[in-house]
Coordinates of all heavy atoms in Angstrom, one line a residue:
M1 N 37.6 -12.1 42.2 CA 36.3 -11.7 42.8 C 35.2 -12.3 41.9 O 35.2 -12.1 40.7 CB 36.2 -10.2 42.8 CG 35.0 -9.7 43.4 SD 35.1 -7.9 43.7 CE 34.0 -7.8 45.0
P2 N 34.3 -13.0 42.5 CA 33.2 -13.6 41.7 C 32.3 -12.6 41.1 O 32.1 -11.5 41.7 CB 32.5 -14.6 42.7 CG 32.9 -14.1 44.0 CD 34.2 -13.4 43.9
D3 N 31.6 -12.9 40.0 CA 30.7 -12.0 39.4 C 29.4 -12.0 40.2 O 28.7 -13.0 40.5 CB 30.4 -12.5 38.0 CG 29.5 -11.5 37.2 OD1 29.5 -10.3 37.6 OD2 28.9 -11.9 36.2
R4 N 29.0 -10.8 40.7 CA 27.8 -10.7 41.5 C 26.6 -10.1 40.7 O 25.6 -9.8 41.3 CB 28.1 -9.7 42.7 CG 29.1 -10.3 43.6 CD 29.2 -9.4 44.8 NE 30.2 -10.0 45.8 CZ 30.5 -9.5 46.9 NH1 30.0 -8.4 47.3 NH2 31.3 -10.1 47.7
R5 N 26.7 -10.1 39.5 CA 25.6 -9.5 38.6 C 24.3 -10.3 38.8 O 23.3 -9.7 38.9 CB 26.1 -9.5 37.2 CG 25.1 -8.7 36.3 CD 25.6 -8.6 34.9 NE 24.7 -7.9 34.1 CZ 24.8 -6.6 33.8 NH1 25.8 -5.9 34.3 NH2 23.9 -6.0 33.0
P6 N 24.3 -11.7 38.7 CA 23.1 -12.4 38.9 C 22.4 -12.1 40.3 O 21.2 -12.0 40.3 CB 23.5 -13.9 38.8 CG 24.7 -13.8 38.0 CD 25.4 -12.6 38.4
L7 N 23.2 -12.0 41.3 CA 22.6 -11.7 42.6 C 22.0 -10.3 42.6 O 20.9 -10.1 43.2 CB 23.7 -11.8 43.7 CG 23.3 -11.6 45.1 CD1 22.2 -12.6 45.5 CD2 24.5 -11.6 46.0
S8 N 22.7 -9.4 42.0 CA 22.1 -8.0 41.9 C 20.8 -8.0 41.2 O 19.8 -7.3 41.6 CB 23.1 -7.1 41.2 OG 24.3 -7.0 41.9
L9 N 20.7 -8.8 40.1 CA 19.4 -8.9 39.4 C 18.3 -9.5 40.2 O 17.1 -9.1 40.1 CB 19.6 -9.7 38.1 CG 20.5 -9.0 37.0 CD1 20.7 -9.9 35.8 CD2 19.9 -7.6 36.6
L10 N 18.7 -10.5 41.0 CA 17.7 -11.1 41.9 C 17.2 -10.1 43.0 O 16.0 -10.1 43.3 CB 18.3 -12.3 42.6 CG 18.4 -13.6 41.8 CD1 19.1 -14.7 42.6 CD2 17.0 -14.1 41.4
L11 N 18.0 -9.2 43.4 CA 17.6 -8.2 44.4 C 16.6 -7.2 43.7 O 15.7 -6.6 44.4 CB 18.8 -7.5 45.0 CG 19.7 -8.3 45.9 CD1 20.9 -7.5 46.3 CD2 18.9 -8.7 47.1
V12 N 16.8 -6.9 42.5 CA 16.0 -5.9 41.8 C 14.7 -6.5 41.2 O 13.7 -5.8 41.0 CB 16.8 -5.3 40.6 CG1 16.0 -4.3 39.8 CG2 18.0 -4.5 41.2
A13 N 14.7 -7.8 41.1 CA 13.5 -8.5 40.4 C 12.2 -8.2 41.1 O 11.2 -7.9 40.4 CB 13.8 -10.0 40.4
P14 N 12.1 -8.3 42.5 CA 10.7 -8.0 43.1 C 10.2 -6.6 42.8 O 9.1 -6.4 42.5 CB 11.0 -8.2 44.6 CG 12.2 -9.1 44.7 CD 13.0 -8.7 43.5
A15 N 11.1 -5.6 42.9 CA 10.7 -4.2 42.6 C 10.3 -4.0 41.2 O 9.3 -3.4 40.9 CB 11.8 -3.2 43.0
L16 N 11.1 -4.7 40.3 CA 10.7 -4.6 38.9 C 9.4 -5.3 38.6 O 8.6 -4.7 37.8 CB 11.9 -5.2 38.0 CG 11.8 -5.1 36.5 CD1 11.7 -3.7 36.1 CD2 12.9 -5.9 35.9
A17 N 9.2 -6.4 39.2 CA 7.9 -7.1 39.0 C 6.7 -6.2 39.5 O 5.7 -6.2 38.8 CB 7.9 -8.4 39.8
V18 N 6.9 -5.5 40.6 CA 5.8 -4.7 41.1 C 5.5 -3.5 40.1 O 4.4 -3.2 39.8 CB 6.1 -4.2 42.5 CG1 5.2 -3.1 42.9 CG2 6.1 -5.3 43.5
V19 N 6.6 -2.9 39.7 CA 6.4 -1.8 38.7 C 5.8 -2.3 37.4 O 4.8 -1.6 36.9 CB 7.8 -1.1 38.4 CG1 7.7 -0.2 37.2 CG2 8.3 -0.4 39.6
L20 N 6.2 -3.4 36.9 CA 5.6 -3.9 35.7 C 4.1 -4.3 35.9 O 3.3 -4.0 35.1 CB 6.3 -5.2 35.2 CG 7.7 -4.9 34.6 CD1 8.4 -6.3 34.4 CD2 7.6 -4.1 33.4
A21 N 3.8 -4.9 37.1 CA 2.4 -5.3 37.3 C 1.5 -4.2 37.6 O 0.3 -4.2 37.2 CB 2.4 -6.3 38.5
L22 N 2.0 -3.2 38.4 CA 1.1 -2.1 38.8 C 1.1 -0.9 38.0 O 0.2 0.0 38.1 CB 1.4 -1.7 40.3 CG 1.2 -2.8 41.3 CD1 1.6 -2.3 42.7 CD2 -0.2 -3.3 41.3
F23 N 2.1 -0.7 37.1 CA 2.1 0.5 36.3 C 2.2 0.2 34.8 O 1.5 0.8 34.0 CB 3.4 1.4 36.7 CG 3.2 1.9 38.1 CD1 3.9 1.3 39.1 CD2 2.4 3.0 38.4 CE1 3.8 1.8 40.4 CE2 2.3 3.5 39.6 CZ 3.0 2.9 40.7
V24 N 3.1 -0.6 34.3 CA 3.3 -0.8 32.9 C 2.2 -1.6 32.3 O 1.7 -1.2 31.2 CB 4.7 -1.5 32.7 CG1 4.9 -1.8 31.2 CG2 5.8 -0.7 33.2
Y25 N 1.8 -2.6 32.9 CA 0.6 -3.4 32.4 C -0.7 -2.6 32.3 O -1.3 -2.6 31.2 CB 0.4 -4.7 33.2 CG -0.9 -5.4 32.7 CD1 -0.9 -6.1 31.5 CD2 -2.0 -5.4 33.5 CE1 -2.0 -6.8 31.1 CE2 -3.1 -6.1 33.1 CZ -3.2 -6.7 31.9 OH -4.3 -7.4 31.5
P26 N -1.1 -1.9 33.4 CA -2.3 -1.0 33.2 C -2.1 0.1 32.2 O -3.1 0.4 31.5 CB -2.5 -0.4 34.6 CG -1.8 -1.4 35.5 CD -0.6 -1.9 34.7
L27 N -1.0 0.6 32.1 CA -0.7 1.7 31.0 C -0.9 1.1 29.6 O -1.6 1.6 28.8 CB 0.6 2.3 31.2 CG 1.0 3.3 30.1 CD1 0.1 4.5 30.2 CD2 2.5 3.7 30.3
G28 N -0.3 0.0 29.4 CA -0.4 -0.7 28.1 C -1.8 -1.1 27.8 O -2.3 -0.9 26.7
Y29 N -2.5 -1.7 28.8 CA -3.9 -2.1 28.6 C -4.8 -0.9 28.3 O -5.7 -0.9 27.4 CB -4.4 -2.8 29.8 CG -5.8 -3.3 29.7 CD1 -6.0 -4.5 29.0 CD2 -6.9 -2.7 30.3 CE1 -7.3 -5.0 28.8 CE2 -8.2 -3.2 30.1 CZ -8.4 -4.3 29.4 OH -9.6 -4.8 29.3
S30 N -4.6 0.3 29.0 CA -5.3 1.5 28.7 C -5.1 2.0 27.3 O -6.0 2.4 26.6 CB -5.0 2.5 29.7 OG -5.4 2.1 31.0
L31 N -3.9 2.0 26.9 CA -3.6 2.5 25.5 C -4.2 1.6 24.5 O -4.8 2.1 23.5 CB -2.0 2.6 25.3 CG -1.3 3.7 26.1 CD1 0.2 3.6 25.9 CD2 -1.8 5.0 25.6
V32 N -4.1 0.3 24.6 CA -4.7 -0.6 23.7 C -6.2 -0.4 23.6 O -6.8 -0.4 22.6 CB -4.3 -2.0 23.9 CG1 -5.1 -3.0 23.1 CG2 -2.8 -2.2 23.7
S33 N -6.8 -0.4 24.8 CA -8.3 -0.3 24.9 C -8.8 1.1 24.4 O -10.0 1.2 23.9 CB -8.8 -0.6 26.3 OG -8.4 0.4 27.2
A34 N -8.0 2.1 24.5 CA -8.4 3.4 24.0 C -8.6 3.4 22.5 O -9.4 4.1 22.0 CB -7.4 4.5 24.5
F35 N -7.8 2.7 21.8 CA -7.8 2.6 20.4 C -8.5 1.4 19.8 O -8.4 1.1 18.7 CB -6.4 2.7 19.8 CG -5.7 4.0 20.0 CD1 -4.8 4.1 21.1 CD2 -6.0 5.1 19.3 CE1 -4.1 5.3 21.3 CE2 -5.3 6.3 19.5 CZ -4.4 6.4 20.5
T36 N -9.4 0.8 20.6 CA -10.1 -0.4 20.2 C -11.6 -0.2 20.4 O -12.0 0.3 21.5 CB -9.6 -1.6 21.0 OG1 -8.2 -1.8 20.9 CG2 -10.3 -2.9 20.5
A37 N -12.4 -0.6 19.4 CA -13.8 -0.5 19.6 C -14.4 -1.7 20.3 O -13.6 -2.6 20.6 CB -14.5 -0.4 18.2
R38 N -15.6 -1.7 20.6 CA -16.3 -2.8 21.4 C -16.1 -4.1 20.6 O -16.1 -5.2 21.3 CB -17.7 -2.5 21.7 CG -17.9 -1.4 22.7 CD -19.3 -1.2 23.1 NE -19.5 -0.2 24.0 CZ -19.8 -0.3 25.3 NH1 -20.1 -1.5 25.7 NH2 -19.9 0.7 26.1
D39 N -16.1 -4.1 19.3 CA -16.0 -5.3 18.6 C -14.6 -5.8 18.4 O -14.3 -6.8 17.8 CB -16.7 -5.2 17.2 CG -16.0 -4.1 16.4 OD1 -15.1 -3.4 16.8 OD2 -16.5 -3.9 15.2
G40 N -13.6 -5.1 19.0 CA -12.2 -5.5 18.9 C -11.4 -4.9 17.8 O -10.2 -5.2 17.7
Q41 N -12.1 -4.2 16.9 CA -11.4 -3.6 15.8 C -10.7 -2.2 16.2 O -11.2 -1.5 17.0 CB -12.4 -3.3 14.6 CG -13.0 -4.6 14.1 CD -12.0 -5.5 13.4 OE1 -11.1 -5.1 12.8 NE2 -12.2 -6.8 13.7
P42 N -9.6 -1.9 15.6 CA -8.9 -0.6 15.8 C -9.9 0.5 15.4 O -10.5 0.5 14.3 CB -7.7 -0.6 15.0 CG -7.4 -2.1 14.7 CD -8.8 -2.7 14.7
S43 N -10.0 1.5 16.3 CA -10.9 2.6 16.0 C -10.6 3.8 16.8 O -9.9 3.7 17.9 CB -12.3 2.1 16.4 OG -13.2 3.2 16.3
L44 N -11.1 5.0 16.4 CA -10.9 6.2 17.2 C -12.3 6.6 17.8 O -12.5 7.8 18.2 CB -10.4 7.3 16.3 CG -9.0 7.2 15.8 CD1 -8.6 8.3 14.8 CD2 -8.0 7.1 17.0
D45 N -13.2 5.7 17.8 CA -14.6 6.0 18.3 C -14.6 6.5 19.7 O -15.4 7.4 20.1 CB -15.5 4.8 18.2 CG -15.8 4.4 16.8 OD1 -15.7 5.3 15.9 OD2 -16.2 3.3 16.6
N46 N -13.7 6.0 20.6 CA -13.6 6.4 22.0 C -13.2 7.9 22.1 O -13.8 8.6 22.9 CB -12.6 5.6 22.8 CG -13.1 4.1 22.9 OD1 -14.3 3.8 22.9 ND2 -12.1 3.2 22.9
F47 N -12.3 8.3 21.2 CA -11.9 9.7 21.2 C -13.0 10.6 20.7 O -13.2 11.8 21.2 CB -10.6 9.9 20.5 CG -9.5 9.2 21.1 CD1 -9.0 7.9 20.7 CD2 -8.8 9.8 22.2 CE1 -8.0 7.3 21.3 CE2 -7.7 9.2 22.8 CZ -7.3 7.9 22.4
V48 N -13.7 10.2 19.7 CA -14.8 11.0 19.2 C -15.9 11.1 20.2 O -16.4 12.3 20.4 CB -15.4 10.3 17.9 CG1 -16.7 11.0 17.4 CG2 -14.4 10.3 16.8
K49 N -16.2 10.1 20.9 CA -17.3 10.1 22.0 C -16.8 11.0 23.1 O -17.6 11.8 23.6 CB -17.5 8.7 22.5 CG -18.6 8.6 23.6 CD -19.9 8.9 23.0 CE -21.0 8.5 24.1 NZ -22.3 8.7 23.6
T50 N -15.5 10.9 23.5 CA -15.0 11.8 24.5 C -15.0 13.3 24.1 O -15.4 14.1 24.9 CB -13.5 11.4 24.9 OG1 -13.5 10.0 25.3 CG2 -12.9 12.3 25.9
F51 N -14.7 13.5 22.9 CA -14.7 14.9 22.4 C -16.2 15.5 22.4 O -16.4 16.6 22.8 CB -14.1 15.0 21.0 CG -13.9 16.4 20.5 CD1 -12.9 17.2 21.1 CD2 -14.8 17.0 19.6 CE1 -12.7 18.5 20.6 CE2 -14.6 18.2 19.1 CZ -13.6 19.0 19.7
D52 N -17.1 14.6 22.0 CA -18.5 15.0 22.0 C -19.0 15.3 23.4 O -19.7 16.3 23.7 CB -19.4 13.9 21.4 CG -19.2 13.8 19.9 OD1 -18.7 14.8 19.3 OD2 -19.6 12.8 19.3
L53 N -18.6 14.5 24.4 CA -19.1 14.6 25.7 C -18.4 15.8 26.5 O -19.1 16.4 27.4 CB -18.9 13.3 26.5 CG -19.8 12.1 26.1 CD1 -19.4 10.9 26.9 CD2 -21.3 12.5 26.3
Y54 N -17.2 16.0 26.3 CA -16.4 16.9 27.1 C -15.9 18.2 26.5 O -15.0 18.8 27.0 CB -15.2 16.1 27.7 CG -15.6 14.9 28.6 CD1 -15.4 13.6 28.2 CD2 -16.3 15.2 29.8 CE1 -15.8 12.6 29.0 CE2 -16.7 14.2 30.6 CZ -16.5 12.9 30.2 OH -16.9 11.8 31.0
T55 N -16.4 18.5 25.3 CA -15.9 19.7 24.6 C -16.1 21.0 25.5 O -15.2 21.8 25.6 CB -16.6 19.9 23.3 OG1 -16.4 18.7 22.5 CG2 -16.1 21.1 22.6
T56 N -17.3 21.1 26.1 CA -17.6 22.2 27.0 C -16.6 22.3 28.2 O -16.1 23.4 28.5 CB -19.0 22.2 27.5 OG1 -19.9 22.0 26.3 CG2 -19.4 23.4 28.2
D57 N -16.4 21.1 28.8 CA -15.5 21.1 29.9 C -14.0 21.4 29.5 O -13.3 22.1 30.3 CB -15.5 19.7 30.6 CG -16.8 19.4 31.2 OD1 -17.6 20.3 31.5 OD2 -17.2 18.2 31.2
I58 N -13.6 21.0 28.4 CA -12.3 21.3 27.9 C -12.1 22.8 27.6 O -11.1 23.4 28.0 CB -11.9 20.5 26.6 CG1 -11.8 19.0 27.0 CG2 -10.6 20.9 26.0 CD1 -11.8 18.1 25.8
V59 N -13.1 23.4 27.0 CA -13.0 24.8 26.7 C -13.1 25.6 28.0 O -12.3 26.6 28.2 CB -14.2 25.2 25.8 CG1 -14.3 26.7 25.7 CG2 -14.0 24.6 24.4
F60 N -13.9 25.2 28.9 CA -14.0 25.9 30.3 C -12.6 25.8 31.0 O -12.2 26.8 31.5 CB -15.1 25.2 31.1 CG -15.2 25.8 32.5 CD1 -15.8 27.1 32.6 CD2 -14.8 25.2 33.6 CE1 -15.9 27.6 33.9 CE2 -14.9 25.7 34.8 CZ -15.5 26.9 35.0
T61 N -12.0 24.6 30.9 CA -10.7 24.5 31.6 C -9.6 25.4 30.9 O -8.8 26.0 31.6 CB -10.2 23.0 31.5 OG1 -11.2 22.2 32.2 CG2 -8.9 22.8 32.1
L62 N -9.6 25.4 29.6 CA -8.7 26.3 28.9 C -8.9 27.8 29.2 O -7.9 28.5 29.4 CB -8.8 26.1 27.4 CG -8.3 24.7 26.9 CD1 -8.5 24.5 25.4 CD2 -6.8 24.5 27.2
V63 N -10.2 28.2 29.3 CA -10.4 29.6 29.7 C -10.0 29.9 31.1 O -9.3 30.9 31.4 CB -11.9 29.9 29.5 CG1 -12.3 31.2 30.2 CG2 -12.3 29.9 28.1
I64 N -10.2 29.0 32.0 CA -9.8 29.2 33.4 C -8.3 29.2 33.5 O -7.7 30.1 34.2 CB -10.4 28.0 34.3 CG1 -11.9 28.1 34.4 CG2 -9.7 28.1 35.7 CD1 -12.4 29.4 35.1
V65 N -7.6 28.4 32.8 CA -6.1 28.4 32.8 C -5.6 29.7 32.2 O -4.7 30.3 32.8 CB -5.6 27.1 32.1 CG1 -4.1 27.3 31.8 CG2 -5.9 25.9 32.8
A66 N -6.2 30.1 31.1 CA -5.7 31.4 30.5 C -5.9 32.6 31.4 O -5.1 33.4 31.6 CB -6.4 31.6 29.2
V67 N -7.1 32.6 32.0 CA -7.4 33.8 32.9 C -6.5 33.8 34.1 O -6.0 34.8 34.6 CB -8.9 33.8 33.3 CG1 -9.2 34.8 34.4 CG2 -9.8 34.1 32.1
S68 N -6.4 32.6 34.8 CA -5.6 32.5 36.0 C -4.1 32.8 35.7 O -3.4 33.5 36.5 CB -5.7 31.2 36.7 OG -5.3 30.1 35.8
T69 N -3.6 32.4 34.5 CA -2.2 32.7 34.1 C -2.0 34.2 33.9 O -1.1 34.8 34.4 CB -1.9 31.9 32.9 OG1 -2.0 30.5 33.1 CG2 -0.4 32.2 32.4
A70 N -3.0 34.8 33.2 CA -2.9 36.3 33.0 C -3.0 37.0 34.3 O -2.2 38.0 34.5 CB -4.0 36.7 32.1
L71 N -3.9 36.7 35.2 CA -4.0 37.3 36.5 C -2.7 37.2 37.3 O -2.3 38.1 38.0 CB -5.2 36.9 37.3 CG -6.6 37.3 36.7 CD1 -7.7 36.7 37.5 CD2 -6.7 38.8 36.8
T72 N -2.2 36.0 37.3 CA -0.9 35.7 38.1 C 0.2 36.6 37.5 O 1.0 37.2 38.3 CB -0.6 34.2 38.0 OG1 -1.6 33.5 38.6 CG2 0.7 34.0 38.8
G73 N 0.3 36.7 36.2 CA 1.3 37.5 35.6 C 1.1 39.0 35.9 O 2.1 39.7 36.2
L74 N -0.1 39.5 35.9 CA -0.4 40.9 36.2 C 0.0 41.2 37.7 O 0.6 42.2 38.0 CB -1.9 41.2 35.9 CG -2.2 41.3 34.5 CD1 -3.8 41.5 34.3 CD2 -1.5 42.5 33.9
F75 N -0.5 40.3 38.6 CA -0.2 40.5 40.0 C 1.3 40.4 40.3 O 1.9 41.2 41.1 CB -0.9 39.5 40.9 CG -2.4 39.8 41.1 CD1 -3.3 38.9 40.8 CD2 -2.7 41.1 41.6 CE1 -4.7 39.2 41.0 CE2 -4.1 41.4 41.8 CZ -5.0 40.5 41.5
A76 N 2.0 39.5 39.6 CA 3.5 39.4 39.8 C 4.2 40.7 39.3 O 5.1 41.2 39.9 CB 4.0 38.2 39.0
A77 N 3.7 41.2 38.1 CA 4.3 42.4 37.6 C 4.0 43.6 38.5 O 4.9 44.4 38.8 CB 3.8 42.7 36.2
A78 N 2.8 43.6 39.1 CA 2.5 44.7 39.9 C 3.3 44.7 41.2 O 3.8 45.7 41.7 CB 1.0 44.7 40.3
I79 N 3.4 43.5 41.8 CA 4.2 43.3 43.0 C 5.6 43.7 42.8 O 6.3 44.4 43.6 CB 4.0 41.9 43.6 CG1 2.6 41.8 44.2 CG2 5.0 41.6 44.7 CD1 2.2 40.4 44.6
G80 N 6.2 43.1 41.7 CA 7.6 43.4 41.3 C 7.8 44.9 41.1 O 8.8 45.5 41.6
G81 N 6.9 45.6 40.4 CA 7.0 47.0 40.2 C 7.0 47.8 41.5 O 7.7 48.7 41.7
Y82 N 6.1 47.4 42.4 CA 6.0 48.1 43.7 C 7.2 47.8 44.5 O 7.7 48.7 45.3 CB 4.7 47.7 44.4 CG 4.5 48.6 45.6 CD1 3.9 49.9 45.4 CD2 4.8 48.3 46.9 CE1 3.6 50.7 46.4 CE2 4.6 49.2 48.0 CZ 4.0 50.4 47.7 OH 3.8 51.2 48.7
L83 N 7.8 46.6 44.5 CA 9.0 46.4 45.2 C 10.2 47.2 44.8 O 11.0 47.6 45.5 CB 9.4 44.9 45.1 CG 8.6 43.9 45.9 CD1 8.9 42.5 45.6 CD2 8.7 44.2 47.4
V84 N 10.2 47.5 43.5 CA 11.3 48.3 42.9 C 11.0 49.8 43.1 O 11.9 50.5 43.5 CB 11.5 48.0 41.4 CG1 12.5 48.9 40.8 CG2 12.0 46.5 41.2
L85 N 9.8 50.2 42.9 CA 9.5 51.6 42.9 C 8.7 52.1 44.1 O 8.5 53.3 44.3 CB 8.7 52.0 41.6 CG 9.3 51.6 40.3 CD1 8.4 51.8 39.2 CD2 10.6 52.4 40.1
G86 N 8.3 51.2 45.0 CA 7.5 51.6 46.1 C 8.2 52.5 47.1 O 9.4 52.4 47.4
A87 N 7.3 53.3 47.8 CA 7.9 54.3 48.7 C 7.5 53.9 50.2 O 8.1 54.4 51.1 CB 7.4 55.7 48.4
H88 N 6.5 53.1 50.3 CA 6.1 52.8 51.7 C 6.9 51.6 52.2 O 6.7 50.5 51.7 CB 4.6 52.5 51.7 CG 4.0 52.5 53.0 ND1 4.0 51.4 53.9 CD2 3.3 53.5 53.7 CE1 3.4 51.7 55.0 NE2 2.9 53.0 54.9
P89 N 7.7 51.8 53.2 CA 8.7 50.7 53.7 C 7.9 49.5 54.2 O 8.4 48.4 54.0 CB 9.5 51.4 54.7 CG 9.2 52.8 54.7 CD 8.0 53.0 53.9
A90 N 6.8 49.7 54.9 CA 6.1 48.5 55.5 C 5.5 47.7 54.4 O 5.6 46.4 54.4 CB 5.0 49.0 56.4
A91 N 5.0 48.3 53.4 CA 4.4 47.6 52.2 C 5.5 46.8 51.5 O 5.3 45.7 51.1 CB 3.6 48.5 51.3
V92 N 6.6 47.5 51.3 CA 7.7 46.8 50.6 C 8.2 45.6 51.3 O 8.5 44.6 50.8 CB 8.8 47.8 50.3 CG1 10.1 47.2 49.7 CG2 8.3 48.9 49.3
T93 N 8.4 45.8 52.7 CA 8.8 44.7 53.5 C 7.8 43.5 53.5 O 8.2 42.3 53.4 CB 9.0 45.1 54.9 OG1 9.9 46.2 55.0 CG2 9.5 44.0 55.8
L94 N 6.5 43.8 53.5 CA 5.5 42.8 53.5 C 5.5 42.0 52.1 O 5.5 40.8 52.1 CB 4.1 43.4 53.7 CG 2.9 42.4 53.6 CD1 3.0 41.4 54.8 CD2 1.6 43.2 53.6
L95 N 5.7 42.8 51.0 CA 5.7 42.2 49.7 C 7.0 41.4 49.5 O 7.0 40.4 48.8 CB 5.5 43.2 48.6 CG 4.1 43.8 48.5 CD1 4.1 45.0 47.5 CD2 3.1 42.8 48.2
K96 N 8.1 41.8 50.1 CA 9.3 41.0 50.0 C 9.2 39.7 50.7 O 9.6 38.7 50.3 CB 10.5 41.8 50.6 CG 11.0 42.9 49.7 CD 12.2 43.5 50.3 CE 12.8 44.6 49.5 NZ 13.9 45.3 50.1
W97 N 8.5 39.7 51.9 CA 8.2 38.5 52.6 C 7.3 37.6 51.8 O 7.5 36.4 51.8 CB 7.6 38.8 53.9 CG 7.3 37.6 54.7 CD1 8.1 36.8 55.5 CD2 6.0 36.9 54.8 NE1 7.5 35.8 56.0 CE2 6.2 35.8 55.6 CE3 4.8 37.2 54.3 CZ2 5.1 34.9 55.9 CZ3 3.7 36.4 54.6 CH2 3.9 35.2 55.4
L98 N 6.3 38.2 51.1 CA 5.4 37.4 50.3 C 6.1 36.7 49.2 O 5.8 35.6 48.9 CB 4.3 38.3 49.8 CG 3.2 37.7 48.9 CD1 2.4 36.7 49.7 CD2 2.3 38.7 48.4

């Protein structure tokens, strides 16, 4: 049986080229440009500027995530407790469906 490996690689080549061109190259370019200053020297200036501009937004996002996680946990515990200990059959059925 002849070796079909080169043919298999030819079939994969177009998909691999698209992935490299549309995902790997932009990712690499973004990483390099993130750590490069305008003059071309390696720098963390972009991260300092980002931190200066978006500190308030980052803190706001963290607060929203913490509050929503806590509320979801509280509601889940309350629903679970009512499902186990609840006496009203219609409410228990509705919560089981939920």
Side-chain angles (χ1 to χ4, degrees):
M1 181 172 207
D3 187 23
R4 294 188 178 180
R5 188 175 181 100
L7 183 60
S8 300
L9 292 176
L10 281 175
L11 290 173
V12 174
L16 184 60
V18 168
V19 169
L20 289 173
L22 297 179
F23 295 102
V24 176
Y25 173 72
L27 175 65
Y29 184 78
S30 295
L31 287 174
V32 169
S33 64
F35 292 99
T36 306
R38 288 186 183 249
D39 60 358
Q41 298 297 320
S43 172
L44 294 175
D45 290 342
N46 294 328
F47 293 98
V48 171
K49 181 72 169 180
T50 301
F51 189 73
D52 288 343
L53 291 173
Y54 297 113
T55 301
T56 306
D57 296 332
I58 293 168
V59 170
F60 179 73
T61 301
L62 291 175
V63 168
I64 293 297
V65 167
V67 169
S68 63
T69 301
L71 287 175
T72 301
L74 286 173
F75 283 125
I79 290 171
Y82 193 80
L83 284 174
V84 172
L85 304 172
H88 195 275
V92 171
T93 304
L94 178 68
L95 289 174
K96 282 182 182 178
W97 178 81
L98 179 64

